[in-house]
Amino acid sequence: MIRRLLLVLGLPIVLFLTWYAASANSENFYAPPLRRILAAFADTWTPERLRADVLPSLARLGAGYLLAAVIGIAAGVAIGANPRLRAAAEPVLEFFRAVPPPVLVPVIMLFAGIGSSMKVIVIVSGCVWPVLLNTVEGVRATDGVLSDTSRAYGITGAARLRHLLLPAASPQIVAGLRQALSIAIILMVISEMFAASNGLGFTIVQFQRSFAIPEMWSGIILLGLLGFGLSELFRLAERRALAWYHGLRDAQRRS
């Protein structure tokens, strides 16, 4: 446990101390000393501001991420399990996957307005692809012997989905969900930079436009901390959901 903690926190602590020492005598307006940024952090991110700006951002992030996960897994299972549907849908999927999600923000604003729904749709538009494509590949890679055995025993429909396809594809699905999480955080900030009245991205831009540079840097640090925290929560959920998979891999390594 202590070794794991040192591995996780060792490099961040070294980088933090290096930044603190290197910027101690900085007179650059755009790169203030870290001590000023930390002082601004304590003064800026009060409980009131966290409720007003950070909680709405997290709510949009959660809604968009969960919706993308549901759509991606459902569509991925359907496409991956049907070779004809996969052949028909693959060119379209590759086209839309290649379109950078930030480019779609102005288009989405035309149809969804500038409210929270627009920001959720922006997050979904970028997060759904890694989940969907990884799900398709996971379903396609289902062991042929297991598939034939389940078919021979008459396991079809929902039972086949629950006991064969989803367990077999779950490592790939989780990999897609991990990729989607980082994309969701990026799109959350980008969507709030366009047209918003609250949110972490909106606040960072307001600090930048008013030349409140220490406060702007404090927002960036807070964004990094949120990303780290969400990543660790995802890691814990992954270890629980795929405990059987990690146990199987550990057993194979020992054998």
Side-chain angles (χ1 to χ4, degrees):
M1 180 65 180
I2 296 177
R3 183 179 179 183
R4 163 69 178 163
L5 191 62
L6 290 175
L7 288 174
V8 171
L9 299 178
L11 182 58
I13 291 173
V14 171
L15 293 176
F16 177 86
L17 294 176
T18 302
W19 183 9
Y20 193 97
S23 66
N25 299 319
S26 175
E27 297 181 359
N28 189 324
F29 178 78
Y30 298 103
L34 182 55
R35 63 176 182 275
R36 285 184 56 196
I37 297 174
L38 296 177
F41 190 102
D43 294 336
T44 302
W45 301 106
T46 60
E48 292 75 15
R49 185 178 286 276
L50 291 176
R51 284 194 296 269
D53 288 316
V54 178
L55 289 183
S57 292
L58 291 177
R60 296 166 190 142
L61 172 68
Y65 181 74
L66 291 176
L67 187 57
V70 171
I71 294 173
I73 293 173
V77 169
I79 295 171
N82 190 320
R84 292 183 179 179
L85 180 59
R86 183 168 66 247
E90 192 169 17
V92 178
L93 295 180
E94 292 297 330
F95 173 81
F96 282 107
R97 184 185 69 162
V99 177
V103 175
L104 299 176
V105 174
V107 179
I108 294 173
M109 288 174 61
L110 293 176
F111 297 98
I114 60 174
S116 293
S117 59
M118 179 273 289
K119 299 166 182 61
V120 172
I121 294 173
V122 168
I123 294 172
V124 173
S125 69
C127 292
V128 70
W129 304 112
V131 179
L132 191 155
L133 295 174
N134 275 276
T135 303
V136 170
E137 291 304 315
V139 173
R140 286 182 60 186
T142 301
D143 186 271
V145 175
L146 291 177
S147 183
D148 293 340
T149 302
S150 67
R151 191 178 297 109
Y153 279 96
I155 301 175
T156 58
R160 176 182 172 84
L161 175 66
R162 178 183 176 185
H163 297 292
L164 176 63
L165 295 182
L166 286 180
S170 56
Q172 285 282 88
I173 293 173
V174 170
L177 290 172
R178 176 177 288 279
Q179 296 173 23
L181 180 59
S182 60
I183 295 173
I185 296 172
I186 294 170
L187 293 178
M188 175 196 75
V189 176
I190 291 175
S191 66
E192 292 173 348
M193 287 180 172
F194 274 84
S197 58
N198 60 13
L200 190 51
F202 167 79
T203 304
I204 291 174
V205 169
Q206 291 301 108
F207 287 147
Q208 181 263 333
R209 289 174 177 172
S210 60
F211 294 97
I213 303 303
E215 288 76 9
M216 180 194 74
W217 279 106
S218 73
I220 295 173
I221 291 175
L222 177 60
L223 183 60
L225 292 174
L226 286 175
F228 174 77
L230 291 173
S231 177
E232 288 302 306
L233 287 176
F234 185 92
R235 189 189 303 274
L236 291 174
E238 177 189 359
R239 295 298 299 185
R240 284 182 172 273
L242 295 182
W244 64 271
Y245 175 73
H246 294 295
L248 179 62
R249 292 186 62 184
D250 293 339
Q252 289 174 344
R253 291 194 194 100
R254 288 193 295 266
S255 62

